Amino acid sequence: MIKKTVADVSTALKGVEDGMTIMLGGFGLCGIPENAISELVRLGVKDLTCISNNAGVDDFGLGLLLQKRQINKMISSYVGENEEFERQMLSGELEVELTPQGTLAEKCRAAQAGFPAFYTPAGYGTEVSMGKETREFNGKMYVLEEAFKADFSLVKAWKGDEAGNLIFKGTARNFNPSMCGAAKITVAEVEELVPAGELDPNEIHIPGIFVSRIFQGKDYEKRIEQRTVRKRN
Amino acid sequence: MIKKTVADVSTALKGVEDGMTIMLGGFGLCGIPENAISELVRLGVKDLTCISNNAGVDDFGLGLLLQKRQINKMISSYVGENEEFERQMLSGELEVELTPQGTLAEKCRAAQAGFPAFYTPAGYGTEVSMGKETREFNGKMYVLEEAFKADFSLVKAWKGDEAGNLIFKGTARNFNPSMCGAAKITVAEVEELVPAGELDPNEIHIPGIFVSRIFQGKDYEKRIEQRTVRKRN
Amino acid sequence: MLDKNGIAKRIAKEVKDGYYVNLGIGIPTLVANFVRDDISVEFQSENGVLGMGPFPFEGEEDADIINAGKQTITTLPGASFFDSALSFGMIRGQHVDLTILGAMEVAENGDIANWKIPGKMVKGMGGAMDLVASAENIIVAMMHTNRAGESKLLKRCTLPLTGVQCVKKIVTNLAVLEVTPEGFKLLERAPGVSVEDIKQATEGSLIVEGNIPEMQL
Amino acid sequence: MLDKNGIAKRIAKEVKDGYYVNLGIGIPTLVANFVRDDISVEFQSENGVLGMGPFPFEGEEDADIINAGKQTITTLPGASFFDSALSFGMIRGQHVDLTILGAMEVAENGDIANWKIPGKMVKGMGGAMDLVASAENIIVAMMHTNRAGESKLLKRCTLPLTGVQCVKKIVTNLAVLEVTPEGFKLLERAPGVSVEDIKQATEGSLIVEGNIPEMQL
């Protein structure tokens, strides 16, 4: 068994530098690598390009990095919950590349799985396809999209073992699995880190081969963006 | 919950006709849809194009269909364990399209996920790429491969529920998940069929949306091709 | 004239037995409340869940179980969780039978715009571009006119497009319309709304053939 | 001169700490028996398992747990099962560090042929084409000559290719060779084998620089 455990978030993020491209898992605030984001804030690295479906909220998630102006460019599909983001974007301080959500997921998966590019129908005929190759297959038009290239991938899982195997919970799974192994170095933080052999090999969502470093996360806030409930009868 | 259960294998294979293209899960004899194959033999449908990583052995798996000359064309990556197969192929009775294993898997997954085609490095510079588009990305050459088109996909899972959700066991998983939803109709046979709600939504390998019909399989032989063991000390 | 719930109620009638349905944010989300009890339907949310149930009871919210609108949800028996790549495989692979989403503008050729107002509002397309480019069956749920009273059913969209020639049907506060090669074909009027009212509120070509029935809700 | 186990033993020395390794059928499978105990290595099999262990004890075989050679196997702590698409994602995405496979022919430019003898034997390429087209680090394990005594290290392959310019290193019963732009560079001699023996058995350009050491096994 190849051991991937590191002592803490600082060790896990060793090598992160100004100007790097970083993938971050999560959908909204669900399943985001909270510990790694805090460490990026602490490190103060800047001029980052961040690939993440959303941009957090003003005071949590990637919003924390936006506040400190650590992000130069965001590649996301939806950024509607963040006023500071909108301000920086409309003022031109922040470069934003909006990408259809399924395309974003597949650009990660392509990087993980060694596909240089793929054809998707999403965005055909829209400004998203401007400057990109388009092509017809079986009477339908597709856009050629390229795999992402990133330095670090920061993901969050529910359980993980020493070998780097990961299991996600509920919809906190989202982009995390496809980002594993999609960057030069993949760092996974988990709510529960267990010895190798404790996870059922059949139930593993992402094999450890896609994970470079894994650490036991702490103090998860798991903030809820839209607390919707119903009354008991 | 949308119910996918059908009474038996006959109902499950309703609509299979001569000349159809059929995907079958399994690697060697591991994880093959034994019940569905028996039913194809019973139905006597012929001129089939079968997409399956292997072709079974002489007297089991797809070998049963070869014996009865029901298969016109095989699309496989490795066919080395079947003498009748080799005879039919070398004599020209059987058309064979050999496809690299990873390409075979991805041609299924592309069909499942709505990708018309993809670029893979496998087979570049070999006869597999003859007549196909090749292209350079980042200094490396790739071959354009198209998604499969099939009428039926026959898969085997370990556990399944009424909603068509599937869980596979061990390496019996192999091609089965990627073939789900990759044909017009997907038929899943399972060793254990349970009511909806009994499988943990977090542990499902293939959501029921990719499965058209599911039935409780029976009399699994699960033949072992290479029984390799070690002595106890 | 319908309110948002009325639009949702009318659209719910388009949901058939055995459908997997993706509901966008806003009015589409309300559709789930009006689907008949005697048919089997599963709701997909593109962030990675199939088989969504109602909102959780107070105190039972789980931050790890949300829909694409970031709302806390529950799941029903038969539900499953999956990653974003597989989720969009469902969508792109046309396994989802019906997509219902909102729009800022729809053109008479089926073009739709709903993600950007240049220089003003750029929230992003989220999964909408994948959904509209992939789905066979797309229904738009929206008000017939914007706050300034201008038609949202146009000859051509003026805003950046989300997808081209993809909308099949539109349900507004005034009418049900089908997108045809000739333009918006009026199918039904909302209660108390005249064909003339609809003509006034529609900038794109409106096709009115024969007697236009009032919606049955 | 080495036997099959000798070749496997020599190749095992190429396996480094922290490597994920894919072993082909035949001699490569034997490599696992000779990897040092004090390093961490995981074996991947392309049919969908990572963390393979030894064969099962008699009576503990599980038809659902096999390797790509269809042999019954066991798994070690930290193992995982996955589907074929993900498995080849590992391979294509270069997450597997080392691929060891057999060959019928290798050319001096690194081309390899191992899947077909036209009109005679066509077993198929299995995962070999994906492996050789993807892996950064490919070692071929084979006999230096075929049964007819003809060299398998050629100027150009005569059989249908499996991959082009991909083989990095070759370990045969006679020698260890590196594929370089100039041809096969002789690195080591098998015990009791002379440089002249290797020259005789090699059809492709053989580069011999300085003193060629004997293998340490």
Side-chain angles (χ1 to χ4, degrees), chain B residues 13-205:
Chain B
L13 260 62
K14 222 171 152 176
V16 173
E17 288 172 17
D18 291 355
M20 279 190 165
T21 297
I22 300 188
M23 292 181 161
L24 299 103
F27 185 98
L29 301 178
C30 182
I32 59 173
E34 295 186 17
N35 286 213
I37 291 171
S38 299
E39 179 67 10
L40 289 176
V41 172
R42 199 191 65 81
L43 287 170
V45 284
K46 46 187 199 303
D47 297 329
L48 300 176
T49 294
C50 290
I51 299 168
S52 171
N53 188 57
N54 310 90
V57 293
D58 283 299
D59 64 342
F60 201 58
L62 283 180
L64 299 171
L65 291 171
L66 286 164
Q67 274 181 7
K68 304 266 184 183
R69 309 289 171 87
Q70 293 177 260
I71 304 178
N72 219 15
K73 181 178 178 181
M74 280 291 316
I75 301 174
S76 303
S77 88
Y78 190 81
V79 293
E81 275 92 0
N82 193 316
E83 284 180 29
E84 173 62 15
F85 183 99
E86 201 157 7
R87 196 197 61 68
Q88 288 186 25
M89 176 171 58
L90 292 174
S91 73
E93 290 165 66
L94 180 68
E95 190 186 344
V96 179
E97 189 176 312
L98 288 165
T99 302
Q101 195 174 136
T103 301
L104 188 76
E106 196 65 19
K107 281 166 80 84
C108 297
R109 195 248 173 193
Q112 175 191 71
F115 293 109
F118 58 92
Y119 290 100
T120 177
Y124 174 73
T126 77
E127 62 181 57
V128 162
S129 66
M130 273 169 57
K132 290 176 187 159
E133 176 182 323
T134 59
R135 181 162 174 173
E136 187 183 319
F137 289 97
N138 311 312
K140 184 167 177 164
M141 294 301 296
Y142 295 84
V143 184
L144 184 69
E145 295 278 1
E146 291 186 8
F148 280 129
K149 287 187 181 67
D151 298 294
F152 271 80
S153 183
L154 308 179
V155 305
K156 152 80 175 17
W158 179 37
K159 294 181 187 174
D161 70 13
E162 293 170 298
N165 293 307
L166 303 178
I167 295 177
F168 304 90
K169 187 184 147 215
T171 55
R173 193 181 316 186
N174 58 66
F175 289 83
N176 286 297
S178 303
M179 287 181 174
C180 292
K184 286 176 200 148
I185 295 175
T186 297
V187 175
E189 58 183 84
V190 297
E191 291 182 55
E192 193 186 343
L193 184 61
V194 302
E198 284 205 11
L199 302 179
D200 183 337
N202 222 30
E203 292 177 5
I204 286 162
H205 293 143

Side-chain angles (χ1 to χ4, degrees), chain A residues 88-122:
Chain A
Q88 289 186 26
M89 175 172 58
L90 292 174
S91 73
E93 289 165 66
L94 180 69
E95 190 185 344
V96 179
E97 189 176 312
L98 288 166
T99 302
Q101 196 173 137
T103 301
L104 187 77
E106 196 64 18
K107 281 166 80 83
C108 296
R109 194 248 173 191
Q112 174 192 72
F115 293 109
F118 58 92
Y119 290 100
T120 178

Side-chain angles (χ1 to χ4, degrees), chain A residues 161-180:
Chain A
D161 70 13
E162 294 170 295
N165 294 307
L166 302 178
I167 296 176
F168 304 89
K169 189 185 146 215
T171 55
R173 194 180 316 185
N174 56 65
F175 289 83
N176 286 296
S178 303
M179 287 181 173
C180 291

Side-chain angles (χ1 to χ4, degrees), chain D residues 149-184:
Chain D
E150 297 158 344
S151 180
K152 295 171 72 174
L153 287 88
L154 308 174
K155 287 205 176 303
R156 293 180 71 96
C157 291
T158 62
L159 296 171
L161 296 182
T162 307
V164 294
Q165 299 177 36
C166 51
V167 177
K168 297 284 181 292
K169 202 173 253 190
I170 306 157
V171 179
T172 74
N173 52 329
L174 304 184
V176 179
L177 307 103
E178 191 186 339
V179 176
T180 70
E182 290 76 37
F184 299 113

